[in-house]
């Protein structure tokens, strides 16, 4: 059930574009690609581990503390396509750091540059998956990733109407190893259905409680029961994703 992390993909005809990666983590910085179902060049779910310049990390952490209701992103400053990142042939690119502030479900979103141009280095590609035709899962499905004492979950995207959500957990769940966090396996939450949400937009967050029982799905073996304790939301989007 685990997602394929590297994927051969014909990207001929995809226009080079700006790609934003929402940041999560304080000790180790991970980036999550903001996807769009309706544009081929953005129709990918991608999770990276970054190696960012020290001054950029310091700016990010300070601005995050100063603006706790905003999020932060690394955006490329020279248009590019994503597959070379997925196959490892591109491991760095020129970028800038932005503060991202939005209202509601993303109807009003403001991007504010916080840095000049720097080199964003990709230390590891944890998940790289172009969207394909597949059915909605019966229950909410996320990817779990992180490093050390930090763990995050990101909703696994399928097709319209779906939602983007990143949540940092209170701690790494018991039963989740560092190898798990480094491979971004899938987790399911059996108590919360998906099934395409009856074709309706997800206008409210689907995880209002602070804790949920979940199942960790490794590439081999039986699902492992784990407990998710939710801490802070790092991203939410139903607008541009489904455009």
């Amino acid at each position: 059930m685990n997602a394929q992390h590297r994927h051969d993909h014909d990207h001929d005809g995809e226009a080079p574009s700006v790609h934003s990666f929402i940041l999560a983590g304080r000790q180790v910085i991970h980036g999550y690609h903001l996807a769009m179902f309706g544009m081929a060049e953005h129709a990918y779910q991608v999770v990276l581990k970054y190696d960012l310049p020290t001054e950029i990390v310091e700016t990010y952490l300070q601005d995050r503390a100063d603006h706790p209701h905003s999020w932060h992103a690394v955006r490329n400053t020279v248009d590019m396509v994503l597959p070379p990142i997925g196959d490892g042939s591109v491991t760095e690119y020129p970028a800038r750091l932005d503060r991202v502030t939005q209202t509601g479900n993303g109807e009003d979103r403001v991007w504010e540059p916080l840095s000049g141009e720097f080199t964003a280095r990709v230390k590891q590609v944890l998940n790289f998956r172009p969207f394909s035709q597949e059915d909605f899962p019966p229950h909410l499905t996320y990817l779990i990733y992180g490093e050390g004492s930090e763990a995050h979950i990101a909703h696994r995207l399928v097709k319209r109407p779906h939602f983007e959500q990143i949540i940092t957990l209170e701690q790494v769940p018991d039963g989740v190893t560092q190898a798990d966090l480094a491979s971004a396996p899938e987790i399911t939450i059996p108590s919360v259905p998906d099934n395409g949400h009856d074709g309706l937009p997800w206008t409210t967050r689907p995880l209002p409680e602070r804790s949920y029982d979940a199942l960790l799905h490794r590439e081999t073996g039986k699902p492992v029961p784990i407990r998710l304790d939710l801490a802070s939301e790092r991203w939410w989007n139903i607008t541009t994703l489904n455009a």
Side-chain angles (χ1 to χ4, degrees), residues 23 26 60 66 68-69 72 88 91 93 103-104 108 118 121 124 151 160 165 169 185 219:
L23 303 184
R26 290 187 171 89
Y60 156 63
D66 293 341
H69 300 297
H72 295 82
T91 59
Y93 59 89
T103 59
D108 182 18
F118 63 90
R121 292 184 170 85
Q124 182 184 356
R160 299 183 182 98
Q165 186 179 41
L169 304 181
E219 290 185 348

Side-chain angles (χ1 to χ4, degrees), residues 63-108:
D63 199 76
R64 175 172 164 164
D66 293 341
H67 298 85
H69 300 297
S70 296
W71 299 308
H72 295 82
V74 165
R75 302 182 82 181
N76 52 299
T77 53
V78 177
D79 289 354
M80 66 181 187
V81 293
L82 291 174
I85 289 179
D87 65 25
S89 58
V90 168
T91 59
E92 61 181 48
Y93 59 89
R96 78 181 196 209
L97 176 68
D98 283 3
R99 180 193 307 133
V100 191
T101 306
Q102 71 178 27
T103 59
N105 290 305
E107 295 86 353
D108 182 18

Side-chain angles (χ1 to χ4, degrees), residues 51-243:
D51 179 11
L52 301 177
T54 299
E55 62 272 19
I56 297 299
V57 174
E58 291 174 349
T59 298
Y60 156 63
L61 293 176
Q62 185 60 58
D63 199 76
R64 175 172 164 164
D66 293 341
H67 298 85
H69 300 297
S70 296
W71 299 308
H72 295 82
V74 165
R75 302 182 82 181
N76 52 299
T77 53
V78 177
D79 289 354
M80 66 181 187
V81 293
L82 291 174
I85 289 179
D87 65 25
S89 58
V90 168
T91 59
E92 61 181 48
Y93 59 89
R96 78 181 196 209
L97 176 68
D98 283 3
R99 180 193 307 133
V100 191
T101 306
Q102 71 178 27
T103 59
N105 290 305
E107 295 86 353
D108 182 18
R109 187 176 298 148
V110 177
W111 301 80
E112 300 174 86
L114 297 178
S115 77
E117 188 174 275
F118 63 90
T119 298
R121 292 184 170 85
V122 178
K123 197 168 185 179
Q124 182 184 356
V125 180
L126 284 71
N127 184 276
F128 188 90
R129 179 175 59 91
F131 299 138
S132 59
Q133 295 299 316
E134 61 178 295
D135 294 332
F136 288 109
H139 306 105
L140 284 192
T141 303
Y142 285 75
L143 308 176
I144 186 167
Y145 60 97
E147 188 169 319
S149 62
E150 297 180 317
H152 322 282
I153 59 173
H155 182 229
R156 185 185 185 278
L157 306 177
V158 175
K159 56 187 174 183
R160 299 183 182 98
H162 245 178
F163 62 91
E164 287 183 315
Q165 186 179 41
I166 305 169
I167 299 174
T168 294
L169 304 181
E170 290 281 2
Q171 66 277 320
V172 177
D174 290 342
V176 176
T177 68
Q178 292 298 307
D180 292 329
L181 294 178
S183 61
E186 294 176 17
I187 60 171
T188 54
I189 303 176
S191 63
V192 186
D194 185 334
N195 286 320
H197 204 235
D198 294 326
L200 301 174
W202 294 79
T203 54
T204 59
R205 272 44 167 197
L207 300 178
E209 306 300 328
R210 300 305 296 179
S211 296
Y212 289 88
D213 289 323
L215 294 172
L216 169 68
H217 301 269
R218 297 189 176 111
E219 290 185 348
T220 60
K222 295 181 179 180
V224 178
I226 60 173
R227 183 73 173 172
L228 304 175
D229 295 321
L230 311 185
S232 60
E233 186 177 69
R234 302 307 307 155
W235 181 249
W236 171 261
N237 174 30
I238 66 170
T239 53
T240 51
L241 171 67
N242 294 297

Side-chain angles (χ1 to χ4, degrees), residues 34-54:
L34 298 190
M36 298 178 71
F37 290 127
M39 298 184 68
E41 59 267 34
H42 295 287
Y44 297 85
Q45 186 154 35
V46 186
V47 179
L48 309 174
K49 181 168 76 170
Y50 275 123
D51 179 11
L52 301 177
T54 299

